[in-house]
């Protein structure tokens, strides 16, 4: 499944930004995510599954003296993101990598972001990703997520589920029970935009559960 996703994202990398402009108000969407983090200007942050780096560039406008790291499994997504950062003269640490094995130290980041990532992951991948986020997040750090809620139970999605047996769609897009098992705690949850007519996005702010 991972290799299929990588091939697919590499294929669409050059068309990704124009497609989003046609289908959503991406700047508003990304800005709402950033506002949830309530960042200072000097923090160290990570964007997992950064795509073409739009959120990262917006973070750079807030973190004037901070450090921004970003990873994506698709090399061509990272290539597009690096080109955009170079044009904007922004210093971003971009790396090719997977959410299930983050190559960063423990307790390293003040904030971690994921945006529409978890529906690409199977159940095992979701758990590994959440445990890795827990590991690299500082004790007082924040994990900001913008992920799909449950997909509608209709004929169209039934057909999709039928042909995606290894997909995270079959295991719930963002299972609450995994959050508890991985040591995270939801401190805020609000509904975001509805994409594609009936796909509800849910914003969450999470922290380490050290109580």
């Amino acid at each position: 499944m991972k290799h299929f996703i990588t091939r697919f994202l590499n294929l669409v990398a050059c068309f990704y930004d124009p497609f989003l402009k046609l289908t959503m108000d991406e700047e508003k969407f990304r800005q709402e995510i950033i506002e949830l983090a309530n960042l200072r200007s000097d923090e160290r942050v990570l964007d997992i599954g950064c795509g073409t780096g739009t959120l990262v560039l917006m973070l750079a406008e807030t973190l004037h003296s901070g450090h921004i790291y970003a990873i994506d499994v698709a090399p061509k997504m990272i290539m597009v993101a690096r080109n955009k950062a170079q044009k904007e003269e922004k210093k971003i640490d971009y790396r090719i990598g997977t959410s299930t094995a983050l190559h960063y130290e423990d307790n390293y980041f003040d904030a971690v972001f994921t945006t529409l990532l978890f529906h690409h992951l199977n159940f095992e991948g979701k758990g590994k990703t959440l445990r890795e986020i827990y590991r690299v997040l500082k004790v007082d750090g924040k994990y900001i997520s913008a992920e799909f809620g449950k997909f509608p139970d209709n004929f169209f999605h039934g057909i999709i589920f039928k042909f995606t047996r290894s997909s995270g769609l079959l295991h719930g897009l963002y299972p609450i029970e995994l959050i508890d098992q991985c040591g995270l705690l939801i401190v805020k949850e609000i509904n975001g935009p509805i994409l594609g007519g009936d796909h509800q996005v849910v914003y969450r702010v999470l922290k380490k559960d050290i109580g």
Side-chain angles (χ1 to χ4, degrees), residues 97-103 128 132 135:
T98 175
S99 64
T100 58
L102 300 175
H103 296 292
K128 286 182 177 180
E132 280 292 89
R135 180 182 65 80

Side-chain angles (χ1 to χ4, degrees), residues 147-153 157 161 169 172-174 198-202 204:
E147 302 291 345
F148 287 123
K150 185 178 180 180
F151 275 11
D153 183 14
H157 289 93
F161 298 159
L169 295 172
L173 293 168
Y174 198 27
D198 52 9
H199 300 119
Q200 179 69 62
V201 175
V202 178
R204 292 192 177 111

Side-chain angles (χ1 to χ4, degrees), residues 69-116:
Y69 299 75
I71 68 166
D72 199 279
V73 72
K76 288 190 178 179
M77 286 286 191
I78 291 294
M79 182 181 68
V80 173
R82 284 175 173 158
N83 288 339
K84 288 166 65 175
Q86 186 175 20
K87 289 178 181 178
E88 296 289 332
E89 298 184 343
K90 301 296 184 183
K91 188 176 180 180
I92 312 294
D93 188 329
Y94 281 113
R95 303 183 188 183
I96 300 166
T98 175
S99 64
T100 58
L102 300 175
H103 296 292
Y104 303 103
E105 300 174 12
D106 295 357
N107 306 308
Y108 193 66
F109 292 104
D110 297 289
V112 174
F113 295 83
T114 67
T115 306
L116 305 183

Side-chain angles (χ1 to χ4, degrees), residues 113-132:
F113 295 83
T114 67
T115 306
L116 305 183
L117 168 72
F118 276 76
H119 64 289
H120 293 299
L121 306 173
N122 61 22
F123 192 81
E124 181 183 7
K126 295 176 198 294
K128 286 182 177 180
T129 296
L130 288 171
R131 284 189 287 274
E132 280 292 89

Side-chain angles (χ1 to χ4, degrees), residues 132-158:
E132 280 292 89
I133 290 172
Y134 180 94
R135 180 182 65 80
V136 302
L137 199 60
K138 291 183 179 180
V139 173
D140 59 347
K142 302 172 186 175
Y143 165 37
I144 314 300
S145 75
E147 302 291 345
F148 287 123
K150 185 178 180 180
F151 275 11
D153 183 14
N154 57 30
F155 175 78
F156 174 74
H157 289 93

